[in-house]
Structure formats: C-alpha cells, structure tokens
C-alpha cells in the first residue's frame, strides 16, 4: 500500500453550515478539482435527524473523501486518502470560507510502499 492521507479537523464552524448538504457537496467538489482527483460515483450522504449533522463519502479512483459534521459542537472531521502522490493542499481556506471555521488542523500521513 502507498499514498498520502490527510486528516482534517475544523472547529468553530457555524451550526447551519454543518447541516447544509449543498455546501458540503461544494466542499468535496472544490477538493476534487483542486487536487485533480477522479470521482467514481456521485457520493453517499446521510443526514442525521434533529440537531444531528451529515456524514458523506465520495469514492475516487485514487481512494476516497469522507466527512462527518457535528453541528452541536461546531466541528467537522474530514479525511482524504490518495494512493497517488499529491502535493499538500490548502484545506484551511475553503473550511474558513464555507463553514466559518476558526481553527483548522491538518495532519498528513504517508503510507509508503512496503
């Protein structure tokens, strides 16, 4: 196995944005275009009832993008895995613009060839 995995945590997000499916789809599309990724499906989304958030998954020929939103905590967890080399990408800017994140943490894990 090889590749890079980004684990992104955004905090201080607006509650309504974290419940907004079109906004989450726009985030995924922004990442796909910005990182030159290749989706193999339209994605799978689940909206939790009441004050709950949204979980989303988009399969890529390179692997996947996944997110989980927690409106009650103003946070989002995002995961991008790529089995093909990609340079670092600015996840912070769209999370601040689309969701009002006040804090964004990005960790990159390298999964080298064995």
């Amino acid at each position: 196995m090889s590749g890079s995995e980004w684990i992104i945590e955004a905090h201080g997000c607006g509650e309504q944005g974290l419940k907004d499916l079109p906004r989450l789809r726009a985030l995924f599309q922004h990442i796909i275009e910005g990182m030159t990724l290749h989706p193999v499906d339209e994605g799978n989304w689940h909206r939790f009832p009441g004050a709950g958030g949204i979980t989303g998954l988009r399969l890529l020929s390179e692997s996947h993008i996944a997110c989980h939103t927690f409106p009650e905590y103003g946070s989002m967890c995002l995961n991008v895995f790529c089995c093909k080399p990609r340079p670092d990408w600015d996840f912070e800017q769209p999370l601040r613009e689309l969701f009002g994140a006040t804090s964004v943490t990005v960790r990159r894990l390298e999964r080298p060839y064995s």
Side-chain angles (χ1 to χ4, degrees), residues 25-45:
R25 287 180 191 216
L27 173 65
F28 275 32
Q29 191 61 36
H30 191 65
I31 293 168
I32 288 165
E33 290 172 6
M35 294 183 77
T36 317
L37 302 172
H38 303 91
V40 298
D41 70 358
E42 291 300 314
N44 193 358
W45 302 89

Side-chain angles (χ1 to χ4, degrees), residues 80-99:
V80 179
F81 183 77
C82 259
C83 61
K84 295 180 180 176
R86 291 286 188 277
D88 277 330
W89 194 74
D90 181 11
F91 292 97
E92 187 171 340
Q93 181 259 341
L95 290 169
R96 289 186 185 280
E97 286 182 10
L98 290 169
F99 299 95

Side-chain angles (χ1 to χ4, degrees), residues 46-112:
H46 177 75
R47 192 184 308 257
F48 290 91
I54 297 173
T55 291
L57 174 66
R58 189 91 189 257
L59 300 179
L60 309 167
S61 65
E62 299 86 359
S63 195
H64 70 268
I65 301 173
C67 77
H68 307 281
T69 70
F70 302 92
E72 66 275 28
Y73 301 114
S75 66
M76 173 193 307
C77 299
L78 183 65
N79 176 263
V80 179
F81 183 77
C82 259
C83 61
K84 295 180 180 176
R86 291 286 188 277
D88 277 330
W89 194 74
D90 181 11
F91 292 97
E92 187 171 340
Q93 181 259 341
L95 290 169
R96 289 186 185 280
E97 286 182 10
L98 290 169
F99 299 95
T102 58
S103 170
V104 177
T105 303
V106 179
R107 290 176 282 166
R108 180 177 176 158
L109 303 172
E110 291 303 319
R111 307 227 184 246

Side-chain angles (χ1 to χ4, degrees), residues 11-27:
H11 298 278
C13 300
E15 182 178 343
Q16 291 309 309
L18 296 172
K19 296 179 180 182
D20 187 340
L21 183 54
R23 199 176 312 192
L24 286 164
R25 287 180 191 216
L27 173 65

